[in-house]
Amino acid sequence: MATIFLLACKHEFLNSAINPTPVVVQGGVTGGGTTVSDTVCFQNDILPLYVSYCASAGCHNANTRADGVQTTDYTSIMKGIKPRDAANSKYYKEITKGEMPPRGYPALSTAQISLIKKWIDQGALNTNCVNSCDTTKFTYTTSVQTILSNNCNGCHGVAPGSGNVYLGTLAATQSYINANKQLFLDAINHAPSLPAAKRMPIGNPMDACKIKQMTKWINAGMPQ
């Protein structure tokens, strides 16, 4: 089972050196819960959605580029986005029409689609937020469910899940982690002991704040 999880879903990233440098902004909430900015952050909030739900193995990753489309980095995604014009942005229209992700695969939620639209309406900037989450909040309902949904559930959100790993419910996630705790922690921390293809998400790790939230949740017994 451990091996299955680590090989379950692959995404390919281009070398970050060819990507535009992200604009760093104060965004999200601070540790004290104070709202700093309403900016939707591409690197924190949007890129994980396109990678998890659209760039799975055999689809729009850097190797297969199904239909000539790649959704693994800012430059590639912007080929199908018109800033401040979501209605005429190809990679948004295909999501709203149910064509991306393909039918039969986990679909983006209404909230996730709305977030992509908001990002486009704000100018579709290559933003990267700091202070974007609150590490004092680490229950399933306050943070973990969203982290899993945005970063993992493009592959593992619908039973039985890619590689027979299903993380779409609290009970299923608890069951898998209880059986594979250290493996899961090593994977989300991109442990050097693991081959690059076995680190989750594939390519770049989640930001440190989200990893800390996940770790605290697991070590606290995975509370709801």
Side-chain angles (χ1 to χ4, degrees):
M1 185 63 160
T3 301
I4 290 174
F5 168 70
L6 291 174
L7 295 176
C9 189
K10 297 181 179 179
H11 309 285
E12 302 292 341
F13 280 78
L14 291 178
N15 189 312
S16 60
I18 72 171
N19 292 326
T21 301
V23 177
V24 179
V25 298
Q26 291 289 117
V29 296
T30 67
T34 302
T35 300
V36 179
S37 171
D38 191 41
T39 300
V40 178
C41 297
F42 175 78
Q43 296 291 332
N44 307 61
D45 303 319
I46 302 302
L47 181 59
L49 297 179
Y50 275 99
V51 170
S52 180
Y53 287 85
C54 305
S56 55
C59 293
H60 304 304
N61 59 48
N63 287 335
T64 57
R65 300 184 74 251
D67 300 319
V69 174
Q70 181 175 327
T71 59
T72 59
D73 60 90
Y74 181 76
T75 299
S76 298
I77 291 169
M78 288 303 294
K79 292 178 180 179
I81 298 295
K82 292 186 177 182
R84 303 189 188 280
D85 190 3
N88 290 303
S89 293
K90 180 179 178 181
Y91 296 171
Y92 176 76
K93 290 193 296 182
E94 290 181 349
I95 288 172
T96 58
K97 290 190 296 185
E99 295 178 3
M100 187 169 68
R103 290 175 176 82
Y105 287 81
L108 288 154
S109 68
T110 299
Q112 289 169 330
I113 293 172
S114 295
L115 191 67
I116 293 173
K117 182 180 186 299
K118 184 176 181 179
W119 167 69
I120 295 171
D121 290 344
Q122 289 180 344
L125 300 176
N126 188 14
T127 42
N128 185 15
C129 291
V130 296
N131 296 326
S132 59
C133 69
D134 185 349
T135 58
T136 67
K137 297 180 179 180
F138 56 88
T139 65
Y140 185 77
T141 54
T142 60
S143 60
V144 171
Q145 185 176 22
T146 298
I147 293 171
L148 292 171
S149 178
N150 291 350
N151 294 274
C152 308
N153 285 357
C155 292
H156 307 294
V158 174
S162 181
N164 292 316
V165 177
Y166 175 50
L167 304 174
T169 67
L170 172 60
T173 305
Q174 289 172 325
S175 177
Y176 178 79
I177 294 177
N178 278 329
N180 303 279
K181 179 180 177 180
Q182 191 56 54
L183 177 63
F184 187 89
L185 289 171
D186 287 347
I188 65 172
N189 280 280
H190 280 216
S193 58
L194 295 177
K198 297 182 179 181
R199 302 168 191 168
M200 295 291 141
I202 293 293
N204 295 327
M206 296 184 291
D207 65 72
C209 179
K210 291 180 176 62
I211 293 173
K212 186 171 183 179
Q213 286 175 305
M214 289 292 299
T215 302
K216 291 175 73 171
W217 176 66
I218 292 168
N219 289 336
M222 295 181 282
Q224 182 173 4

